[in-house]
Amino acid sequence: MSAKGSARPTVGGIWAQSPEGVIGKDGTIPWHVPEDLRFFSITTTGNPVIMGRRTWESFPPKFRPLPARPNIVVTSHPETVASDQNNVWTAASYAEALDLAQSLLKQPDGDIWAIGGTRIWADALAHPELPLRRAYVTTVDLPVEGDTVAPELDESWSHRELADWAESSKGPRFRVDEYTRT
Ligand SMILES: NC(=O)c1ccc[n+]([C@@H]2O[C@H](COP(=O)([O-])OP(=O)(O)OC[C@H]3O[C@@H](n4cnc5c(N)ncnc54)[C@H](OP(=O)(O)O)[C@@H]3O)[C@@H](O)[C@H]2O)c1
């Protein structure tokens, strides 16, 4: 039993990637798929989200913090994040962010979402007590080049299709897969 009791949260990752695994370019996402933004919003609303500083900065100021969910930003420069805003916290490490997220859960067995980028997911995958157990991965069918890539999920993960290929109102095809591991 953990110090926080027997009920434990599920930590999930959520991202959208090109077929080659690109997730970002020049501090932004190199496509616009509003249907996937809606899926992201529905999935994460009400639950703490953990992100790196560059992901925080990738949101236009008028869209951050992400509404109706605690926003936890991992950074060694907390002064660059307006943490005086409601619903924004900073943490110096992923481990600190995860502790904070647990303290902010409405229920101890609630969901926590690691929303990027690369180091956040790497730390979440490797966390000794509460590693990533679920990942929602949207594949956007565009051959884009970028500077940031999605984590690779090894054979310990099983996978099922959540939503088959569909055409975005903005053009590219996309599909959603769920990965889980015990
Ligand atoms: N397609 C998608 O689903 C998706 C999702 C998220 C992000 N993105 C894209 O990915 C890019 C941003 O991701 P990124 O990987 O470059 O950066 P990031 O992880 O968002 O931010 C990196 C910064 O966060 C802090 N940080 C992150 N992990 C840390 C850790 N474990 N320990 C301590 N500090 C940590 C450090 O901040 P300090 O330098 O302040 O110390 C680091 O410089 C953008 O292009 C964004 O649009 C895409």
Side-chain angles (χ1 to χ4, degrees):
M1 189 183 286
S2 81
K4 295 183 175 76
S6 57
R8 316 217 61 187
T10 299
V11 184
I14 184 166
W15 63 85
Q17 65 173 63
S18 75
E20 289 75 32
V22 170
I23 65 151
K25 185 181 183 194
D26 300 332
T28 187
I29 295 177
W31 52 75
H32 180 50
V33 177
E35 296 84 354
D36 186 54
L37 296 179
R38 268 199 295 284
F39 173 69
F40 172 86
S41 182
I42 288 165
T43 304
T44 60
T45 292
N47 306 302
V49 292
I50 300 174
M51 72 194 91
R53 176 183 51 80
R54 290 191 63 216
T55 296
W56 166 261
E57 288 174 353
S58 75
F59 302 133
K62 68 175 178 177
F63 292 123
R64 68 187 194 215
L66 299 175
R69 72 213 92 165
N71 288 224
I72 303 170
V73 184
V74 182
T75 179
S76 54
H77 303 287
E79 70 285 357
T80 64
V81 178
S83 54
D84 55 331
Q85 289 173 284
N86 276 341
N87 253 354
V88 185
W89 287 261
T90 58
S93 66
Y94 175 77
E96 190 184 307
L98 188 59
D99 279 347
L100 194 51
Q102 282 185 264
S103 73
L104 293 165
L105 281 170
K106 293 186 197 123
Q107 299 163 318
D109 60 350
D111 292 328
I112 294 168
W113 290 98
I115 66 168
T118 305
R119 270 174 74 194
I120 295 293
W121 289 315
D123 279 11
L125 281 162
H127 193 274
E129 288 168 31
L130 276 178
L132 216 61
R133 293 267 183 242
R134 175 186 298 151
Y136 287 147
V137 181
T138 299
T139 303
V140 177
D141 195 15
L142 278 181
V144 292
E145 292 188 359
D147 51 34
T148 321
V149 294
E152 286 188 21
L153 302 178
D154 66 20
E155 63 286 348
S156 66
W157 291 81
S158 38
H159 142 258
R160 75 182 174 110
E161 179 184 287
L162 215 58
D164 198 1
W165 289 108
E167 199 98 345
S168 165
S169 58
K170 297 293 178 188
R173 292 191 325 149
F174 67 101
R175 61 176 275 167
V176 186
D177 292 281
E178 178 185 35
Y179 291 79
T180 50
R181 68 174 173 180
T182 50

